[in-house]
């Protein structure tokens, strides 16, 4: 799992059907000091994380497929938790 | 999933039968500098070929997934490891100051 920060959101009308109805957020991975590290990744957000909130991003495709209920979904990253305390 | 710019198309003369009817795009992934200044031209680092079923054109921004998840949308076993999952209309990216 990745410790990441929500840095933005994307809008896409033409996309894979399993993405419909879900919010896709831009997650910036963070290092242990909370600083940005590496290129941002896109993730499916089902918990309504707000802008600049720290979240846990799972890279397990099977969990996303189970959540969207589509065995043919190409997605991999999903926001699975919103962090309270700073690392 | 990662963002990328479509910079070209790839046409296959001989291909795996599972690819029949497929379109292939040459995509340049966005790096950290590109997120900061999306309008600025990005120095060309490694592009990759992405399978596309949505009809993205050259110049559009696409969201593509890689790895084993990229072969899930196909019914049979298909040797694809980069799949175009979305054509992006808007990117709102505001990191904290």
């Amino acid at each position: 799992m990745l410790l990441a920060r929500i840095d933005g959101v994307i809008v896409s009308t033409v996309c894979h059907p399993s993405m419909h109805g879900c919010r896709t957020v831009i997650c910036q991975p963070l290092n242990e000091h909370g600083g940005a590290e590496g290129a941002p990744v896109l993730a499916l957000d089902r918990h309504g994380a707000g802008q600049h909130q720290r979240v846990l991003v799972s890279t397990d495709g099977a969990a996303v497929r189970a959540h969207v209920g589509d065995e043919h979904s190409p997605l991999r990253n999903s926001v699975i938790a919103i962090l309270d305390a700073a690392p | 999933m990662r963002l990328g710019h479509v910079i070209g198309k790839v046409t296959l003369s001989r291909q795996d039968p599972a690819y029949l009817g497929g379109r292939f795009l040459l995509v340049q992934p966005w790096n950290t500098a590109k997120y900061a200044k999306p309008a600025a031209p990005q120095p060309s680092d490694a592009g990759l070929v992405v399978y596309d079923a949505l009809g993205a054109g050259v110049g559009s921004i696409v969201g593509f997934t890689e790895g084993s998840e990229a072969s899930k949308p196909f019914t049979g076993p298909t040797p694809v490891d980069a799949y175009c999952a979305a054509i992006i209309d808007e990117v709102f990216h505001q990191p904290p100051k």
Side-chain angles (χ1 to χ4, degrees):
Chain A
M1 290 183 290
L2 293 170
L3 176 66
R5 182 188 62 218
I6 305 281
D7 269 4
V9 68
I10 60 135
V11 174
S12 168
T13 45
V14 178
C15 57
H16 191 271
S18 66
M19 285 176 67
H20 289 317
C22 277
R23 185 169 166 256
T24 305
V25 290
I26 302 174
C27 299
Q28 170 62 54
L30 302 175
N31 56 25
E32 66 275 13
H33 308 301
E37 180 188 28
V41 293
L42 272 67
L44 218 60
D45 175 25
R46 46 188 179 180
H47 295 294
Q51 182 79 345
H52 302 162
Q53 270 197 312
R54 273 186 301 270
V55 293
L56 268 186
V57 176
S58 150
T59 56
D60 173 21
V64 179
R65 285 194 297 274
H67 168 68
V68 297
D70 179 357
E71 271 313 301
H72 292 296
S73 169
L75 303 174
R76 164 186 283 187
N77 299 325
S78 68
V79 172
I80 55 168
I82 300 176
L83 267 68
D84 292 334
Chain B
M1 190 179 348
R2 292 197 294 164
L3 286 186
H5 247 103
V6 178
I7 54 175
K9 288 190 181 137
V10 174
T11 308
L12 310 178
S13 55
R14 293 178 53 80
Q15 58 192 349
D16 187 288
Y19 284 161
L20 282 184
R23 291 175 81 244
F24 290 90
L25 304 172
L26 192 59
V27 171
Q28 184 171 48
W30 281 23
N31 54 18
T32 311
K34 185 69 171 176
Y35 272 93
K37 286 190 284 295
Q42 177 187 327
S44 66
D45 46 8
L48 68 155
V49 180
V50 174
Y51 183 94
D52 172 43
L54 300 173
V58 175
S60 55
I61 304 171
V62 292
F64 60 94
T65 61
E66 291 160 291
S68 69
E69 281 76 21
S71 63
K72 292 299 178 199
F74 300 92
T75 50
T78 308
V80 169
D81 74 346
Y83 184 83
C84 171
I87 301 175
I88 310 294
D89 302 328
E90 293 284 339
V91 177
F92 299 102
H93 180 255
Q94 293 107 5
K97 297 288 179 287

